[in-house]
Structure formats: C-alpha cells, structure tokens
Amino acid sequence: MPRPIQIVEVGPRDGLQNEKAILDPALRAELVERLEAAGARRIEAVSFVHPKYVPQMAGAEEVMASLSPRPDRSRIGLVLNGKGYDRALGTPLDEVNVSLSASDGFGLKNQGMTTAQQVQMLSDIMAGRANSISGDQNVPTISATLSCVWGCPFDGEIAVERITALVSQVAALGVDEIALADTVGVADPWGVTRKVEAARKVAGDIPLRLHFHDTRNTGLANAYAGVQAGIDILDASVGGIGGCPFAPGATGNVATEDLVYMLERAGYRTGYDLDALVACAIWIGQKIGRPAPSALSRAGGWPARG
C-alpha cells in the first residue's frame, strides 16, 4: 500500500488572516465545508485572536456555530494565550493548536511574550486540560506549533540547539502533536532535514508536523525533504493564500493542491480530490479579490482530464 501523507488544511485560518479582504463568518464556514468536501479531514478552521489585531479572524464562534457536525472530520482552532483557549473551549472544536515562538523577538511581537513565558502559558493550559478531563466530557486534543523554527524576522537565524531544547520542553508537557513552522519561508531542504532529525530525537512518541511558507519558492522542496526525513503530516493552504501579519515579508503557505499533486504523482496517498481542490482555490481567489497564487489553480493537474 502507498504510504499515506496527512495534509492539514490551514487556508481558513493562516490563509485568510493576512488577506486584505475580510470575509464574514458565513463565507469562512462555507470555505471550511468546501474544503472538507474536497477531502480535508483535519482543518484549521478558526483563530481565537483579538479582532483588533487580526480583523480577518473575527467571529470565530460564529464560524464554528455555522458548521454542521462531522464526526469524520477534525476542526482545529488556533490560540495564542489562555484567554484564547478559554474561548475555544466554548465551541465544538476537536483540536486546539497553541502557537509558541522559537524566538523571543517574534514571540514579543506576535503574542507579547518571550519564548519562556509562552512555554509557561502552554504548561498552564495543559494543567487546566488535565483537570477538566472527566467522564464523557469532550476535551479537545492539544497540539503546539513552534513558529520561526528556521528563522525569525527580528532575531535572525535560529540555532538547532534552541529548537531541540524547545521541542524537549514542549514534549515534556504532554501535547498530542508538535508542529515545526517556517513562518517567514526562509528554510531550505537541507536545513529542514537537520532540524527534523534533531527534533525527532527529543520528541519521543509525539508526532511531528511541518508547516511551510513559500515566500522564497522553497516550500515544496522543503515538504519533500520533510517527507524524506520521515514526516507524515504537513500543513498547506488552499490556493497558496495567506501569511502572517506580524512577520514582515511572509507570503502564503505551500498550496494544498500543489502539494497534493506532487505527493500523489509520487505514489503517496492524501485522500484529497485534486479537481475539487483546484475549483476551491479558484473560488476563494474570487472571494478575496485576487487570483490564488498556486500553480495548479493556473495550470491544472496532469494528465489533463475533461
């Protein structure tokens, strides 16, 4: 059987948060449902950030309330602090993704906390989660995304040793998954291999996920390097839209349809319908007022069908 690669769709959150267009909650919920119909089984649907700072993500509770229950799908919400986590608990989310920065510079700019303070914040969230697990109560799983793993727009290069120490700390807290994120798209395939191998040595049995931006046109090459290094979970954004409003120069994530095309041409299984993904990329491009930057939204798949 071909090796399966799980692609976590982040378009409704990371994709839309840096776009000039502000879509209402109903339209963002429709994007989630279109992506799920195209095969997304895990999808970062919302972000619980203050609308003053990221107005594109306002109304997270409304988005979640608009979605029909799907036991075969997992909806994820991003949080930056304890207040965001408390908001997330008031919605029917399946997973909570807690963002931490591998650099103090980006942590202070993005969340107003140093890396050490963010680790303590995550520790408090994990302790609260442990206290809330009882009986049949639905408590979301928790993943941690470490941003700026391969470089920070404020602090520059990030040493392998710093990543190893941070992954070790986060793993010790008992999270369900750890994501390594190239927030500003500075990684190269060889650097991906080095840091993935270092992180795996200290992560224990906790799965690793990779999150790449295509700022410098290395996103697909980095994803390839991650898969070659044994990673089975990758983030991607439909159409290649998005970026980070607190990271100067950061552009969109690796496009979901481009990543699916590459992997399935190589014989990996993703569970996505490529034609439906391309249609979704074209649709969201129309909604945000600019063509989606992905290659397949322009050229389509191969061999051509229909």
Side-chain angles (χ1 to χ4, degrees), residues 3-292:
R3 174 180 161 198
I5 301 294
Q6 183 182 99
I7 300 178
V8 180
E9 173 60 56
V10 299
R13 197 280 302 178
D14 205 9
L16 293 179
Q17 72 172 6
N18 205 39
E19 293 294 330
K20 292 181 180 180
I22 298 177
L23 306 187
D24 62 47
L27 198 56
R28 284 154 52 202
E30 183 179 351
L31 174 60
V32 171
E33 291 174 340
R34 284 174 177 261
L35 288 165
E36 289 180 339
R41 292 192 171 274
R42 293 179 67 194
I43 187 163
E44 199 168 62
V46 292
S47 176
F48 295 92
V49 295
H50 199 293
K52 173 184 175 182
Y53 301 109
V54 190
Q56 295 89 336
M57 292 291 101
E61 289 86 352
E62 295 174 61
V63 173
M64 292 306 303
S66 298
L67 295 174
S68 302
R70 289 289 301 269
D72 60 335
R73 298 291 189 263
S74 187
R75 280 88 178 246
I76 308 168
L78 180 81
V79 305
L80 302 184
N81 50 42
K83 290 183 179 179
Y85 180 67
D86 290 340
R87 285 180 60 195
L89 291 182
T91 69
L93 280 169
D94 303 290
E95 304 178 49
V96 170
N97 184 20
V98 183
S99 177
L100 297 85
S101 175
S103 69
D104 288 332
F106 187 74
L108 290 168
K109 186 71 173 178
N110 190 44
Q111 291 157 270
M113 290 183 277
T114 64
T115 301
Q117 289 171 328
Q118 291 173 83
V119 171
Q120 182 59 53
M121 174 265 294
L122 177 61
S123 177
D124 293 342
I125 287 175
M126 294 302 295
R129 178 176 182 266
N131 292 332
S132 65
I133 296 176
S134 60
D136 296 328
Q137 183 178 359
N138 180 33
V139 179
T141 60
I142 294 181
S143 61
T145 290
L146 313 183
S147 58
C148 295
V149 166
W150 283 274
C152 170
F154 309 106
D155 294 355
E157 299 286 351
I158 305 297
V160 173
E161 294 76 15
R162 183 175 178 90
I163 299 306
T164 303
L166 182 55
V167 170
S168 181
Q169 288 179 289
V170 171
L173 297 177
V175 297
D176 298 286
E177 183 181 79
I178 298 173
L180 308 178
D182 183 22
T183 309
V184 288
V186 299
D188 62 81
W190 299 271
V192 168
T193 300
R194 284 193 297 272
K195 285 185 174 172
V196 166
E197 290 177 347
R200 291 184 75 176
K201 290 178 181 178
V202 296
D205 295 331
I206 298 174
L208 294 180
R209 187 176 88 243
L210 298 181
H211 178 106
F212 293 119
H213 286 249
D214 203 31
T215 311
R216 290 166 178 83
N217 203 31
T218 57
L220 284 177
N222 292 335
Y224 168 80
V227 171
Q228 291 296 100
I231 296 297
D232 296 318
I233 314 171
L234 300 166
D235 287 356
S237 172
V238 63
I241 61 173
C244 179
F246 302 104
T251 55
N253 300 67
V254 171
T256 311
E257 58 272 24
D258 294 356
L259 183 58
V260 166
Y261 174 78
M262 181 183 77
L263 291 172
E264 297 207 339
R265 286 278 293 181
Y268 296 99
R269 291 182 292 121
T270 68
Y272 279 82
D273 179 329
L274 187 58
D275 291 338
L277 268 178
V278 171
C280 194
I282 294 171
W283 177 84
I284 194 58
Q286 294 168 345
K287 298 303 177 184
I288 62 175
R290 70 181 182 97

